[in-house]
Amino acid sequence: MKSLIPVLWLCAGLMGCSADSPPEVRSGEPYRVDASRIEGLRGMRVRELFVVIFPKDYSVEEWRAIFEQTNLLSKNKRRLREIEGRDEPQIQEERSAIIGKNAEILLELGMKSLFMMSWTSQDENCSIDKEMRILCDPFNPDNPLNGGLPANTRPLRYVIPNPVQNSSIKTPYLSAFLEKKKSGAGIGFGIELRLKPEASNAQSSWYKGDVVIEEGSVFPSATDGSPVGTYYRYGYSEMTLGL
């Protein structure tokens, strides 16, 4: 795989193609992103964070199934945000059905993943501090889906590539680097979330994109927690920020 945002997410949802397809090469002027956008994130709460790391490269059909699952999960999460705070009987029934379906998707994705981190603001209290880092207080180590809540060790930043000079990075993205220090068992990792804005409203902004894994990372196995140092180089992530 050579492109920044893995082509598997796009290709699996369309016609199907190899995860090693070459990136699209664009020409023209560099992207311009208002520098105030990053400042506007200060003080925002992390309403949702979802990260999944895969143990291997899958077949095109397998990637297509994963794409469909993550796409449905995203759609369901958006709908839950839309009906948040409403308590009509039909809305309560819909909410219950969506939550049940999401639990099924997470279970299926968990079976295909090496490592998964999934939590919402109901599980963790995290926000972007004045240093532009994601600060979480309190931690919740008993949540089996939060992945141990790795620390955001570098400030959030927007990366604005020049599509003429760089043939592999084409679109601006929000970079968030998460790190978990190595334990006595050798488990520890660094992951960069490369997030593209997908949608926003007055209350929140939703991002999705790649996870790029730092060399030498070791993840806990999803089956027994043992250290695993082999994995597919790219993962998938989503993050929702809100007031």
Side-chain angles (χ1 to χ4, degrees):
M1 170 131 54
K2 302 173 184 177
S3 60
L4 168 63
I5 300 300
V7 291
L8 65 92
W9 301 116
L10 177 61
C11 296
L14 300 177
M15 301 180 300
C17 63
S18 168
D20 290 312
S21 298
E24 176 186 359
V25 178
R26 302 180 186 178
S27 60
E29 292 298 317
Y31 286 92
R32 287 178 169 81
V33 176
D34 187 349
S36 65
R37 287 181 62 184
I38 189 69
E39 291 297 321
L41 300 181
R42 183 177 284 114
M44 299 286 278
R45 295 189 67 197
V46 182
R47 299 184 68 178
E48 292 182 288
L49 184 62
F50 177 63
V51 174
V52 58
I53 306 298
F54 301 100
K56 63 179 182 177
D57 189 4
Y58 288 107
S59 69
V60 170
E61 290 301 320
E62 288 171 319
W63 282 128
R64 179 179 288 110
I66 291 171
F67 171 87
E68 291 172 352
Q69 288 174 319
T70 57
N71 196 42
L72 180 56
L73 185 66
S74 297
K75 178 181 177 181
N76 286 349
K77 287 179 178 180
R78 288 199 303 273
R79 180 56 182 162
L80 287 175
R81 289 193 292 272
E82 290 172 359
I83 61 178
E84 187 176 8
R86 297 175 56 183
D87 58 0
E88 304 95 311
Q90 65 271 27
I91 292 296
Q92 292 181 359
E93 184 177 345
E94 180 185 4
R95 181 183 294 112
S96 177
I98 291 175
I99 290 173
K101 183 60 179 179
N102 284 357
E104 292 179 11
I105 294 173
L106 287 171
L107 180 61
E108 292 177 15
L109 281 174
M111 295 175 65
K112 298 172 184 174
S113 70
L114 169 64
F115 171 84
M116 183 184 293
M117 176 168 52
S118 177
W119 49 265
T120 71
S121 55
Q122 294 178 331
D123 305 309
E124 299 291 350
N125 180 23
C126 299
S127 59
I128 300 174
D129 68 6
K130 63 180 181 179
E131 303 298 330
M132 299 307 300
R133 291 182 172 88
I134 298 173
L135 181 66
C136 298
D137 183 29
F139 295 111
N140 182 8
D142 296 326
N143 176 7
L145 287 179
N146 73 8
L149 217 60
N152 178 209
T153 56
R154 304 174 191 173
L156 300 182
R157 63 191 181 100
Y158 272 111
V159 176
I160 309 174
N162 184 328
V164 177
Q165 296 177 354
N166 190 323
S167 63
S168 63
I169 302 176
K170 295 301 167 195
T171 56
Y173 62 88
L174 176 66
S175 173
F177 188 83
L178 304 179
E179 181 179 8
K180 187 172 181 63
K181 296 293 185 181
K182 284 203 172 181
S183 65
I187 295 173
F189 54 85
I191 53 176
E192 182 190 12
L193 313 186
R194 296 181 174 182
L195 300 162
K196 295 171 60 180
E198 288 291 317
S200 63
N201 55 33
Q203 288 76 39
S204 62
S205 298
W206 173 49
Y207 301 80
K208 66 188 295 186
D210 285 5
V211 178
V212 180
I213 304 169
E214 191 172 61
E215 185 176 354
S217 291
V218 178
F219 294 93
S221 166
T223 55
D224 59 9
S226 60
V228 179
T230 57
Y231 37 78
Y232 189 50
R233 182 181 175 188
Y234 296 93
Y236 175 76
S237 62
E238 293 186 20
M239 181 170 69
T240 302
L241 302 177
L243 301 175

